[in-house]
Amino acid sequence: MILRSLELERFRNFTHKEIEFCDAINVIYGLNGYGKTNLLEAISVACLSRSFRTRNDNELVHFEESNFKILADIGLDGGLEKRIQISYNCDHGKEILINHTKTKSIAELVGSFPIVVMAPESDSVTTGPPQERRRFLNILLSQIDREYLKLLQDYVRILKQRNRLLQNARENRYKFSEKVQPWNEKLYTISRTITEKRSLLLKELEKSATPIHMEITSHLERFSIQYRPSFNLEWDKFEKFEEILNKNINLEIVRGATMVGPHRDEIQFFLNGKELRKFGSRGQHRCCLLAIKIGEYKLLQEKRSETPIFLLDDVYSEIDEVREKALNDYFLDLKQIFLTTHESDIKLDTKPEFGKEIKYYHIQDNSFAYKEMIS
C-alpha cells in the first residue's frame, strides 16, 4: 500500500498541515523538536488507531486544544483508494471513518493498513520488561489476525472479572469457588487459543528474521526466539490448568490478581544460545531489532497480502557503517518508507544505485519544504 497524503489538524505541534508523499523513500529531516517524530506518529494513528509513543490519546492533542483530526489517503495494492479519518475528542473519545463510513470496531482498521515501526521506543522489545515484548507481539498478531484482536479484548474482560472476584474474596470467601469456576473455564479456553496463536507466529517470525540477522552480521552470530508461556501448551485438559490455579489461589487472593495466563507470558531472544536481554551489547540489540522489524515487515506482507508502510524514526543515529549498509540494501526490497533524521545524518543522497524515488522534506517551525527528488 502507499500513503499518498496526510492532513493534520490540532495534532501534537501541528495546528494544520497537508503533506503529499512519494511512493518510495520519504526522508523527513530537521532539528529536534520541530515535529519529525510527530509526523510518523500521526501515520501510526491513522493506520493502527494508536501511537507508538503513548497510550494516552490526550497527549496527541495540540496544546490548549480539546481534539484532533487526521485524514490519510491510501492506495492499496489491489488498486482501491481509501480515505481514513481519525477524529478524537477529549470528552467523547475516538471515531474512525473509512471512506466516510463509521467503523463498528477497531478491527476494521487494524491490519487493513499494515505498518511496521522502528523507533527509539522499539528498543524496549529486546531490552525492556516482558510486557513490552507481549505488546509488540499483540500489535503484530492483531494486524495479521482479526480474530486475535477480538480474543485479546475478550481476554482482558475475563481477566478483569476474575480479578474482581479475587479482590472481593479478601473480605468474604463465601461461595467463592462457585463464583470463580465459570471464569476459570473461560480463562482456560481463551488462554489456550491465544497462546497457540502466539507460539505459531513466533516460530514464523524466527524463520523470517533469522536469515536477515545472519546477513546483517555476516553469519557471525546465530539468532533465535523462544516463547515461554505461563502454562504448558501440551495441557489439553482444563483440570490440569485448574490445578495450577488452585495451587496459587491464596496468593492470588492476597494480590487480587490472576497469576496464570497470556498476560504473564515471556518472549526471549537469544544470540549464540545466550539471552540477548542479559548478555547482548547495545550494537547486538540494535542488530537483532533490525532483523525482527524487517522480519515483521515480510510476515505482514505475506499474511495480509498487502505491502506495509515502514516507519523509521532516527534509526541511523546508533547504527554503525556495516549495519547501515545492510539496512540500506534492504531498502531495495521495501516499498514505501518514511525516515526521520537530523540534516547532518542524511546519507541516502549519495546512493543513486537504489534506483528508487527519494523525496526530502525539511521540517522547521511547523513548516515543510521539499528539498529535492532523486529517481
Side-chain angles (χ1 to χ4, degrees):
M1 77 179 192
I2 296 295
L3 176 62
R4 304 198 187 285
S5 65
L6 196 66
E7 182 177 350
L8 308 178
E9 292 184 10
R10 299 174 296 280
F11 185 87
R12 288 288 194 183
N13 67 316
F14 299 109
T15 52
H16 181 263
K17 186 60 56 183
E18 297 181 37
I19 318 146
E20 294 184 354
F21 302 108
C22 80
D23 292 356
I25 301 174
N26 297 271
V27 178
I28 300 99
Y29 72 98
L31 298 177
N32 293 334
Y34 285 136
K36 301 189 302 292
T37 299
N38 295 346
L39 180 62
L40 298 195
E41 191 176 22
I43 298 173
S44 174
V45 174
C47 295
L48 284 178
S49 87
R50 63 188 299 169
S51 162
F52 57 83
R53 297 163 74 191
T54 177
R55 302 181 189 184
N56 185 355
D57 288 328
N58 286 343
E59 295 180 16
L60 306 178
V61 179
H62 191 278
F63 181 65
E64 293 187 342
E65 297 286 355
S66 60
N67 60 85
F68 71 76
K69 184 167 72 173
I70 300 172
L71 293 170
D73 290 314
I74 290 177
L76 299 180
D77 289 350
L80 294 176
E81 298 291 326
K82 299 285 186 178
R83 164 160 280 209
I84 304 167
Q85 177 178 313
I86 308 286
S87 301
Y88 174 78
N89 185 288
C90 293
D91 295 324
H92 305 294
K94 190 180 296 176
E95 182 181 71
I96 303 171
L97 281 75
I98 301 177
N99 285 353
H100 310 290
T101 301
K102 186 177 179 180
T103 59
K104 296 179 181 179
S105 71
I106 191 176
E108 294 181 46
L109 179 74
V110 176
S112 297
F113 311 98
I115 66 168
V116 175
V117 180
M118 185 169 175
E121 291 80 5
S122 305
D123 289 349
S124 61
V125 173
T126 62
T127 64
Q131 57 264 33
E132 294 299 327
R133 284 177 285 286
R134 291 194 296 267
R135 181 171 181 264
F136 157 75
L137 185 58
N138 286 338
I139 293 173
L140 174 55
L141 251 174
S142 294
Q143 289 198 83
I144 289 174
D145 185 348
R146 286 182 177 174
E147 180 189 357
Y148 181 82
L149 179 57
K150 186 179 185 306
L151 283 170
L152 208 57
Q153 293 168 336
D154 290 343
Y155 180 78
V156 171
R157 179 181 57 83
I158 291 168
L159 202 60
K160 286 181 178 178
Q161 293 289 345
R162 189 174 187 275
N163 287 347
R164 189 174 294 115
L165 287 174
L166 292 170
Q167 292 158 13
N168 293 338
R170 294 173 182 169
E171 304 296 331
N172 183 3
R173 293 200 185 191
Y174 179 68
K175 291 188 175 181
F176 169 74
S177 297
E178 295 178 20
K179 295 176 183 177
V180 80
Q181 178 70 13
W183 295 107
N184 288 347
E185 294 175 359
K186 292 178 181 178
L187 184 71
Y188 169 75
T189 301
I190 199 166
S191 294
R192 183 169 178 81
T193 304
I194 288 174
T195 302
E196 288 173 342
K197 285 180 177 291
R198 285 179 172 180
S199 178
L200 179 61
L201 183 76
L202 284 173
K203 290 177 182 177
E204 293 180 307
L205 180 61
E206 181 184 54
K207 184 178 179 180
S208 178
T210 297
I212 297 168
H213 183 270
M214 291 180 67
E215 186 172 340
I216 292 174
T217 60
S218 301
H219 297 254
L220 296 177
E221 296 175 329
R222 187 179 72 258
F223 174 72
S224 62
I225 304 174
Q226 288 188 16
Y227 178 41
R228 299 194 182 279
S230 62
F231 72 98
N232 197 320
L233 274 172
E234 296 178 357
W235 292 355
D236 56 355
K237 293 183 179 180
F238 166 68
E239 288 74 18
K240 295 181 180 180
F241 180 74
E242 192 173 36
E243 286 179 13
I244 298 297
L245 293 179
N246 291 336
K247 182 180 179 180
N248 294 315
I249 194 63
N250 289 329
L251 185 57
E252 285 190 329
I253 290 173
V254 170
R255 294 184 176 180
T258 302
M259 297 180 62
V260 179
H263 65 293
R264 306 276 294 186
D265 293 352
E266 170 65 297
I267 300 102
Q268 294 176 304
F269 303 113
F270 290 85
L271 275 183
N272 299 326
K274 293 184 178 180
E275 189 176 359
L276 176 67
R277 188 175 65 85
K278 295 179 179 178
F279 300 101
S281 67
R282 189 172 184 85
Q284 287 174 320
H285 275 276
R286 179 61 62 160
C287 190
C288 289
L289 187 60
L290 273 172
I292 290 167
K293 286 297 178 179
I294 297 172
E296 177 185 355
Y297 180 96
K298 291 181 178 296
L299 267 183
L300 280 168
Q301 187 174 30
E302 174 189 344
K303 299 291 185 180
R304 296 300 304 182
S305 299
E306 191 72 48
T307 307
I309 292 172
F310 209 137
L311 309 182
L312 297 132
D313 185 25
D314 197 28
V315 298
Y316 280 94
S317 60
E318 294 186 15
I319 295 178
D320 59 34
E321 291 184 3
V322 174
R323 292 174 174 84
E324 178 198 335
K325 182 181 184 305
L327 179 59
N328 287 343
D329 289 343
Y330 273 106
F331 279 177
L332 294 172
D333 298 324
L334 307 182
K335 196 170 183 180
Q336 192 179 35
I337 300 165
F338 292 84
L339 186 153
T340 67
T341 181
H342 188 278
E343 183 174 6
S344 61
D345 292 331
I346 294 178
K347 301 172 184 178
L348 297 178
D349 54 359
T350 63
K351 301 180 184 295
E353 67 271 18
F354 280 159
K356 295 174 76 77
E357 184 181 43
I358 306 174
K359 196 169 186 177
Y360 293 88
Y361 307 79
H362 185 204
I363 181 170
Q364 184 175 6
D365 294 329
N366 196 24
S367 65
F368 282 85
Y370 301 147
K371 179 186 175 186
E372 60 181 308
M373 187 180 294
I374 301 174
S375 58

